[in-house]
């Protein structure tokens, strides 16, 4: 077969695969949309939307700081504290599980597979489900939110840590083995120095997610700024809702900017 004919055949097969994939995805979207029951907009849709927009345009600035009680600054600080303590708990638990899941640190594939299975199981548990469970155990408040974020992030962080270890250069570890270094010395001088920048980058990325999640978990009573937000929504106090949302957006943007700058310096 001529090279030109072979090229045409390969191009035809690529187009056929792409067309088949497009048709399958289109059919899935059609099936999913067909199952949605849309009964039209509520009669209150426009007045409520107008009130929400008005709340953003004229936020309740008196809620920013109130020395006598609840205010925006205290809620945002509590949310930030939940995210920070949660990520610290995740680091302590995710590092050993991540090292356990790394194939190149395990003597047999079965051992590393056990670690990967543990991480996969933890990743299947959404933060909001964990928060509901911990609320039943320790009661509502910031402590339940911290535990939910700390446990929920282990799956993601452990997986990223394991991938970082698996991608490292085996040379330094082999050199330490050659001069008679034990497992602890291999880990301390051959593994950690190589993977530390990647660990820090992954941790900062997860911290950004924790900050957003901490604001959300308060809606179900797990502490943070989400609790006054849901109360303000239920009371239809849209000026306060607007102020709280503006505060959340500003804090998340600042955290994202600081985290991105730190990751660039680390890497």
């Amino acid at each position: 077969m001529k090279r030109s004919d072979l090229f045409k055949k390969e191009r035809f097969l690529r187009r056929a695969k792409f067309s088949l994939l497009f048709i399958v995805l289109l059919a899935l979207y059609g099936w999913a949309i067909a199952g949605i029951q849309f009964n039209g907009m509520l009669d209150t849709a426009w007045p409520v939307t107008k009130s929400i927009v008005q709340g953003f345009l004229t936020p309740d600035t008196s809620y920013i700081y109130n020395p006598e009680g609840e205010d925006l600054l205290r809620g945002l600080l509590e949310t930030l504290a939940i995210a920070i303590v949660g990520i610290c708990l995740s680091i302590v638990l995710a590092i050993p599980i991540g090292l356990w899941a790394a194939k190149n640190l395990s003597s047999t594939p079965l051992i590393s597979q056990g670690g990967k299975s543990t991480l996969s199981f933890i990743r299947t548990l959404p933060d909001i489900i964990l928060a509901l469970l911990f609320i039943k155990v320790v009661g509502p408040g910031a402590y339940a939110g911290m535990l939910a974020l700390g446990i929920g992030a282990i799956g993601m962080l452990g997986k990223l840590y394991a991938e970082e270890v698996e991608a490292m250069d085996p040379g330094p570890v082999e050199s330490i083995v050659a001069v008679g270094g034990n497992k602890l010395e291999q880990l301390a001088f051959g593994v950690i120095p190589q993977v530390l920048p990647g660990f820090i980058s992954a941790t900062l990325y997860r911290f950004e997610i924790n900050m957003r999640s901490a604001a959300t978990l308060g809606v179900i009573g797990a502490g943070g700024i989400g609790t006054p937000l849901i109360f303000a929504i239920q009371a239809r106090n849209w000026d306060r809702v607007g102020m709280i949302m503006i505060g959340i957006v500003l804090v998340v943007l600042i955290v994202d900017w600081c985290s991105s700058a730190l990751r660039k310096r680390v890497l």
Side-chain angles (χ1 to χ4, degrees), residues 93-110:
L93 298 176
I95 287 179
I97 300 177
L99 296 175
W100 171 24
K103 292 185 293 186
N104 53 343
L105 295 184
S106 301
S107 56
T108 63
L110 188 61

Side-chain angles (χ1 to χ4, degrees), residues 16-265:
K17 291 178 181 178
F18 177 79
S19 300
L20 180 61
L21 179 62
F22 179 77
I23 292 171
V24 171
L25 289 176
L26 191 63
L28 287 174
Y29 274 108
W31 172 74
I33 293 172
I36 299 175
Q37 294 182 356
F38 180 68
N39 298 321
M41 303 290 287
L42 297 175
D43 295 335
T44 57
W46 172 244
V48 170
T49 303
K50 185 178 178 181
S51 299
I52 293 173
V53 174
Q54 186 67 25
F56 274 95
L57 296 177
T58 58
D60 181 11
T61 54
S62 64
Y63 185 67
I64 295 177
Y65 177 68
N66 180 11
E68 299 179 356
E70 176 189 287
D71 57 28
L72 179 66
L73 292 178
R74 287 188 180 90
L76 291 175
L77 286 174
E78 184 180 51
T79 303
L80 184 62
I82 292 171
I84 292 174
V85 178
I87 199 67
C88 291
L89 176 62
S90 301
I91 294 170
V92 172
L93 298 176
I95 287 179
I97 300 177
L99 296 175
W100 171 24
K103 292 185 293 186
N104 53 343
L105 295 184
S106 301
S107 56
T108 63
L110 188 61
I111 295 177
S112 63
Q113 190 58 45
K116 292 183 185 297
S117 299
T118 302
L119 294 173
S120 297
F121 172 74
I122 297 174
R123 287 202 308 276
T124 62
L125 303 173
D127 293 340
I128 194 167
I129 300 299
L130 288 171
L132 289 171
L133 294 174
F134 281 120
I135 286 174
K136 295 299 182 182
V137 175
V138 300
Y143 192 51
M146 179 274 294
L147 290 174
L149 290 180
I151 301 301
I154 293 173
M156 176 181 174
L157 275 183
K159 182 176 184 294
L160 294 175
Y161 290 167
E163 291 176 351
E164 192 70 27
V165 173
E166 290 173 352
M168 72 177 185
D169 180 10
V173 178
E174 293 173 354
S175 300
I176 295 172
V177 173
V179 297
N182 57 34
K183 289 288 185 181
L184 185 59
E185 291 169 337
Q186 295 170 33
L187 184 64
F189 301 108
V191 176
I192 298 301
Q194 291 191 75
V195 301
L196 187 59
F199 278 22
I200 295 174
S201 178
T203 303
L204 290 172
Y205 176 69
R206 178 64 206 193
F207 176 68
E208 297 174 14
I209 299 175
N210 270 18
M211 188 60 203
R212 298 183 185 91
S213 298
T216 304
L217 294 181
V219 173
I220 60 171
I225 195 62
T227 301
L229 175 61
I230 193 63
F231 288 157
I233 292 174
Q234 291 173 347
R236 298 182 181 274
N237 189 349
W238 302 118
D239 293 348
R240 180 163 295 184
V241 170
M243 190 68 257
I244 294 173
M245 291 299 296
I246 291 171
I248 292 173
V249 169
L250 289 176
V251 171
V252 169
L253 287 175
I254 292 171
V255 169
D256 286 356
W257 181 82
C258 294
S259 178
S260 298
L262 287 172
R263 284 206 308 272
K264 289 179 182 177
R265 291 179 66 88

